Amino acid sequence: MLELWTHAGKTLRRSVSEREAAAVLAAWQSPLTPPSDEKLMELVT
């Protein structure tokens, strides 16, 4: 289960595979700067 909190105070929950969970953890621990909001929106549309 993946749980994310938005800046607006909303909580988003989603069941994920082990591979997806590992990818999220790797991205979270990365020293690279996060992508812009516009780039993130491209991923979900």
Side-chain angles (χ1 to χ4, degrees):
M1 181 64 70
L2 180 68
E3 184 172 281
L4 302 171
W5 297 278
T6 68
H7 293 289
K10 294 183 180 181
T11 302
L12 305 170
R13 292 186 183 109
R14 179 179 176 207
S15 293
V16 295
S17 68
E18 286 185 39
R19 182 178 226 156
E20 290 169 320
V24 168
L25 287 174
W28 180 55
Q29 295 174 342
S30 173
L32 300 176
T33 57
S36 66
D37 288 345
E38 292 79 24
K39 288 286 186 187
L40 290 174
M41 289 303 296
E42 290 176 12
L43 294 174
V44 296
T45 57

